[in-house]
Amino acid sequence: MTEAVAGGADVSKLRELNSLSIVRAMRGRRPATVTELATRTGLSRPGTDVVVRGLVTDGWVKVVEPDGSSVGRPARRYRFNAGAGHVLGVDVGGHKILVLLADLDGTVLHRHRLPVASDADPAARLEAVDLAITQCLSAAGMRPEEIWAVTVGVTGPVDATGRTTLFTPLPGWASVSPAEHLADRFTCPILVENDCKLAAVAERWQGAAQDADDIVYLLAGMRTGAGLIIDGTLRRGFGGAAGEIGALKAVRWLSAPAHIENCPGVPEDIHPDDKAAWVFERVREGDRDAKAALRRYVKDLAVGAAALVLTLDPQVVVLGGGYSRSADLIIDPLTRELTRLCLRVPEIRASNLGADSVALGALRVALDQIDARLFGDGMPAPLALS
Amino acid sequence: MTEAVAGGADVSKLRELNSLSIVRAMRGRRPATVTELATRTGLSRPGTDVVVRGLVTDGWVKVVEPDGSSVGRPARRYRFNAGAGHVLGVDVGGHKILVLLADLDGTVLHRHRLPVASDADPAARLEAVDLAITQCLSAAGMRPEEIWAVTVGVTGPVDATGRTTLFTPLPGWASVSPAEHLADRFTCPILVENDCKLAAVAERWQGAAQDADDIVYLLAGMRTGAGLIIDGTLRRGFGGAAGEIGALKAVRWLSAPAHIENCPGVPEDIHPDDKAAWVFERVREGDRDAKAALRRYVKDLAVGAAALVLTLDPQVVVLGGGYSRSADLIIDPLTRELTRLCLRVPEIRASNLGADSVALGALRVALDQIDARLFGDGMPAPLALS
């Protein structure tokens, strides 16, 4: 670095760094004048002007025309062009594929959801993924080359090769590499990550835990799982298997959902996905069997939750997953159980992201990837299409 | 910062920063010439010379006289003066007080150990702490004012006030503030930290996990506990209670040591501290009862260990505590149990720091405190006594 300052490449390098400073000073903020940007970055006003013009030419920055409301000739304002690039977040679930397409500000522009049979084999599931992506891109009028990063959420711990070889409930899916499959269509980086981990990222980004740095995300539904944010960072674990406390029989997560799903009185002809909603409805009506089922469920859920809380001592536990639509019925008894089992009980909050949380977390991880390339060291910035 | 560069205070600030750069470039390395230090820091040779002379005057740096072995006039060499300041690490245990005194390189210069009755009340235990510190300082010929930082290790999670209010097995100790007590003698910063957390720090600093960033430290002894290092950083948890998985009955740590301590055949007149050694000796002799006791102990230890491993997916588990003197008898069956219970089994290593681990970790935390003041922002460097 020190040597390069004396060399010829130095000035262009400096200009590139200045470009990044200015882009960073613009992102997520209101349109700004050159003078304001010079103040924010500490660069000179003439230097800022040159760099901003270059960024406009390259498509990174848009001119915001004055609205004519001010007296005299108003200074021209500029904003970051969030539409310079796009990312995809893909949730490969047991029952659905959800694809979200967002700009560089993370604003979701298009979404596409396809149902998929829970017993679908890998080929059928990947076909549904392909179709959902095709339809989402088509709705956006976009080609795969215009996507800068893709993140795919899957069920089960994701190893260094992007596979769920250790464990996954998706039939036949253990050795599938979604990244290799999608590499036929996309030339951009493709990341694969565990669904609970992505949901945890989403809760800190846009959900119930935006103010917290130490977060346990609990997936409460037909499956039970967890994602961990410690000191503001998603924790994957040395082999990608952090948060898999549910695999320990002693904490009773494996058997917990059965209390709800097999509650006495559930109609035989009801769709499996609707059983829990039926039970929670009966709880609200005061049904004794449903209330007992919920009580037993929460007692089991609490043992694994207590193991996580006692291990990590988080600030917030976010209750997500399908059952969290009835979080108002779960949070109070869960808090009571944790008070009995733990030394210190964190705040328990309900997720408000619904079924989008995994795909939203995937978007955030894809955007982080781009930010690392833009603002991190050593990697070239992607070319902005103007 | 940008404004200050234009102002008058700027040059002295720059010189101070240069001093820190040079101190940093010297620490933990062999004596160096001014030319070598200029190369390491990127500062000019004349500038480096001025700063190094100033550091010698202030006592931070020592001149290393040439040994006469080289031909011609050898360049003068300089080294960091680790003796410019000192720190104390104090382990307030159930049965002993251990005080270590170290220089700024962390080299232990003096140690003092005092036994203390396990049922000692807080006043008696604090008196033992005071006496152990007095005797350690006296052996070093040092006054309390010459100590730059003190860290005290205690049993139980340490809250924001430096107390173990949530839980501690030390009788009557829950509301004791060791920091407030020691503030009568020391004017330097005094930190209080949980013993297992400090032991974890020690294992990464000088022990069995120097190469790892994701570490679970297991205290295996008459008590069972844990300390967590994630991504190279000690994790305290939001309320200081991280690692307290042992409080969860389902993971069986509360009852685990009883298998060893109450093993059939243990002589009635044996000292409680020596029971485990007696049992492990019988295991080596092939005694059936002792082997069964060990098997049951490891089975229980493994449940809590599996909860930690499944939650965090660490690279290494370090087995410490009193029982780890017989780690060779524990590691194999523990690995087998974890293989049965976990998705991915980390490497399990025996601690090699013995009974010093808590006090050593306390030294490291005290040194980190000083480093943060030296190299961190906003705090004045302590005055070096030349």
Side-chain angles (χ1 to χ4, degrees):
Chain A
M1 290 289 281
T2 315
E3 278 178 62
V5 173
D10 161 43
V11 176
S12 79
K13 176 76 185 167
L14 206 66
R15 197 176 293 146
E16 188 190 307
L17 287 172
N18 288 346
S19 297
L20 291 176
S21 303
I22 288 171
V23 166
R24 198 193 286 244
M26 279 183 176
R27 288 193 65 183
R29 301 180 70 166
R30 299 153 60 92
T33 63
V34 167
T35 306
E36 286 165 349
L37 291 169
T39 306
R40 281 185 206 161
T41 54
L43 301 172
S44 73
R45 202 199 162 287
T48 303
D49 196 51
V50 170
V51 173
V52 167
R53 282 166 198 272
L55 288 168
V56 171
T57 305
D58 291 347
W60 284 105
V61 165
K62 288 272 192 196
V63 180
V64 180
E65 296 302 336
D67 62 2
S69 66
S70 49
V71 180
R73 194 168 69 94
R76 178 172 277 181
R77 290 177 186 274
Y78 300 88
R79 66 169 173 81
F80 176 65
N81 178 19
H86 294 86
V87 296
L88 286 183
V90 184
D91 176 6
V92 181
H95 305 257
K96 67 146 193 285
I97 311 293
L98 175 63
V99 179
L100 300 181
L101 185 151
D103 66 16
L104 296 182
D105 278 346
T107 305
V108 175
L109 306 176
H110 289 277
R111 49 180 298 132
H112 202 83
R113 187 185 189 282
L114 277 185
V116 65
S118 59
D119 60 352
D121 66 15
R125 203 173 296 273
L126 286 171
E127 202 175 324
V129 169
D130 287 339
L131 184 59
I133 289 175
T134 299
Q135 294 180 336
C136 191
L137 288 176
S138 161
M142 225 168 251
R143 287 165 293 120
E145 308 87 81
E146 294 174 81
I147 301 298
W148 285 8
V150 178
T151 301
V152 181
V154 295
T155 299
V158 174
D159 65 20
T161 76
R163 293 174 172 82
T164 46
T165 39
L166 281 177
F167 159 79
T168 175
L170 300 182
W173 188 264
S175 62
V176 171
S177 170
E180 283 180 10
H181 176 78
L182 292 176
D184 287 348
R185 286 171 92 182
F186 293 97
T187 53
C188 66
I190 303 164
L191 292 176
V192 184
E193 187 51 281
N194 168 264
D195 50 4
C196 292
K197 292 186 177 71
L198 293 176
V201 167
E203 293 296 345
R204 184 159 185 271
W205 182 33
Q206 300 194 336
Q210 295 177 45
D211 58 331
D213 283 336
D214 293 303
I215 305 159
V216 166
Y217 171 85
L218 281 188
L219 177 83
M222 278 186 276
R223 288 182 307 116
T224 316
L228 315 174
I229 306 250
I230 303 174
D231 211 14
T233 302
L234 174 68
R235 298 300 161 176
R236 304 198 69 256
F238 187 69
E244 296 292 335
I245 184 73
L248 189 66
K249 266 191 193 150
V251 305
R252 310 211 298 236
W253 276 9
L254 292 169
S255 55
H259 295 301
I260 300 289
E261 306 292 327
N262 304 335
C263 175
V266 174
E268 290 202 2
D269 56 347
I270 201 169
H271 190 280
D273 291 2
D274 299 329
K275 281 184 183 174
W278 187 93
V279 174
F280 287 120
E281 200 48 48
R282 294 295 88 69
V283 172
R284 290 185 200 286
E285 291 165 2
D287 179 84
R288 184 192 291 255
D289 285 340
K291 283 166 71 181
L294 176 62
R295 201 163 48 241
R296 283 192 289 265
Y297 169 71
V298 170
K299 263 185 117 66
D300 282 4
L301 177 70
V303 181
L308 294 170
V309 166
L310 283 163
T311 299
L312 297 167
D313 188 18
Q315 179 182 358
V316 175
V317 171
V318 177
L319 187 74
Y323 294 0
S324 73
R325 279 189 290 267
S326 300
D328 60 311
L329 297 176
I330 298 174
I331 285 181
D332 281 352
L334 181 60
T335 304
R336 280 196 297 276
E337 281 298 302
L338 291 182
T339 305
R340 196 170 66 79
L341 297 170
C342 298
L343 295 176
R344 201 190 68 78
V345 180
E347 195 184 339
I348 306 178
R349 302 179 189 166
S351 165
N352 49 23
L353 300 176
D356 282 8
S357 59
V358 175
L360 276 173
L363 285 182
R364 181 65 262 170
V365 168
L367 291 168
D368 286 346
Q369 237 269 342
I370 291 172
D371 278 5
R373 283 157 73 203
L374 279 179
F375 303 117
D377 293 332
M379 288 189 74
L383 202 73
L385 304 168
S386 54
Chain B
M1 290 286 284
T2 315
E3 281 177 61
V5 172
D10 162 42
V11 177
S12 78
K13 176 75 184 168
L14 205 67
R15 196 177 293 146
E16 187 190 309
L17 288 172
N18 288 346
S19 298
L20 292 176
S21 303
I22 288 172
V23 166
R24 197 192 286 243
M26 280 184 174
R27 288 194 64 182
R29 302 179 70 165
R30 300 155 57 93
T33 63
V34 167
T35 307
E36 287 164 348
L37 292 170
T39 307
R40 279 184 208 162
T41 55
L43 302 172
S44 73
R45 203 201 160 285
T48 304
D49 197 52
V50 169
V51 173
V52 168
R53 282 165 196 273
L55 288 167
V56 171
T57 305
D58 291 347
W60 284 105
V61 166
K62 288 271 191 197
V63 180
V64 180
E65 295 303 336
D67 62 3
S69 66
S70 49
V71 180
R73 195 167 69 94
R76 178 171 278 180
R77 289 178 187 276
Y78 300 88
R79 66 169 173 81
F80 176 65
N81 178 19
H86 295 86
V87 296
L88 287 183
V90 184
D91 176 6
V92 181
H95 305 257
K96 68 147 194 285
I97 310 294
L98 175 62
V99 179
L100 300 181
L101 185 150
D103 66 16
L104 296 183
D105 278 346
T107 305
V108 174
L109 304 175
H110 289 277
R111 49 180 298 131
H112 202 83
R113 185 187 190 283
L114 278 184
V116 65
S118 59
D119 60 352
D121 65 16
R125 203 174 297 273
L126 285 171
E127 203 176 324
V129 169
D130 287 340
L131 185 59
I133 289 175
T134 300
Q135 293 179 336
C136 191
L137 287 176
S138 161
M142 224 168 252
R143 289 167 291 122
E145 307 87 80
E146 294 175 80
I147 301 298
W148 285 7
V150 179
T151 302
V152 182
V154 295
T155 299
V158 174
D159 66 19
T161 76
R163 294 173 171 83
T164 46
T165 37
L166 280 178
F167 159 78
T168 176
L170 299 182
W173 188 264
S175 62
V176 171
S177 169
E180 282 180 11
H181 176 78
L182 292 176
D184 288 347
R185 286 172 92 183
F186 293 96
T187 52
C188 65
I190 303 164
L191 291 177
V192 184
E193 188 50 281
N194 170 264
D195 51 3
C196 292
K197 291 187 177 71
L198 293 175
V201 167
E203 294 297 342
R204 184 159 186 270
W205 182 33
Q206 300 194 337
Q210 295 175 47
D211 58 332
D213 283 335
D214 293 303
I215 305 160
V216 166
Y217 171 84
L218 280 188
L219 178 83
M222 279 185 276
R223 288 183 304 116
T224 315
L228 315 175
I229 307 252
I230 303 174
D231 210 14
T233 302
L234 174 67
R235 296 301 160 175
R236 304 197 69 255
F238 188 69
E244 296 291 336
I245 184 75
L248 188 68
K249 267 190 192 151
V251 304
R252 310 211 299 236
W253 275 10
L254 292 168
S255 56
H259 295 302
I260 300 289
E261 306 292 327
N262 304 335
C263 174
V266 175
E268 291 202 1
D269 57 348
I270 202 170
H271 190 281
D273 292 1
D274 299 329
K275 280 183 182 175
W278 186 92
V279 174
F280 287 121
E281 200 48 46
R282 294 295 87 71
V283 172
R284 290 185 199 286
E285 290 165 3
D287 179 84
R288 184 193 294 253
D289 284 341
K291 284 166 71 182
L294 177 61
R295 201 163 48 240
R296 283 192 288 266
Y297 169 70
V298 171
K299 264 185 115 65
D300 282 3
L301 178 69
V303 182
L308 294 170
V309 166
L310 283 164
T311 299
L312 297 166
D313 189 19
Q315 179 182 358
V316 175
V317 171
V318 177
L319 188 73
Y323 294 1
S324 73
R325 280 189 289 268
S326 299
D328 60 311
L329 297 176
I330 298 174
I331 285 181
D332 281 352
L334 181 59
T335 304
R336 278 197 298 276
E337 282 298 304
L338 291 183
T339 305
R340 197 171 64 80
L341 296 170
C342 297
L343 294 177
R344 202 192 67 79
V345 180
E347 196 184 338
I348 306 178
R349 302 179 188 165
S351 165
N352 49 22
L353 299 175
D356 284 7
S357 59
V358 176
L360 276 174
L363 286 181
R364 181 66 261 169
V365 168
L367 291 168
D368 286 347
Q369 236 270 342
I370 291 172
D371 278 6
R373 283 158 71 204
L374 279 177
F375 303 117
D377 294 333
M379 288 192 72
L383 202 73
L385 305 167
S386 55

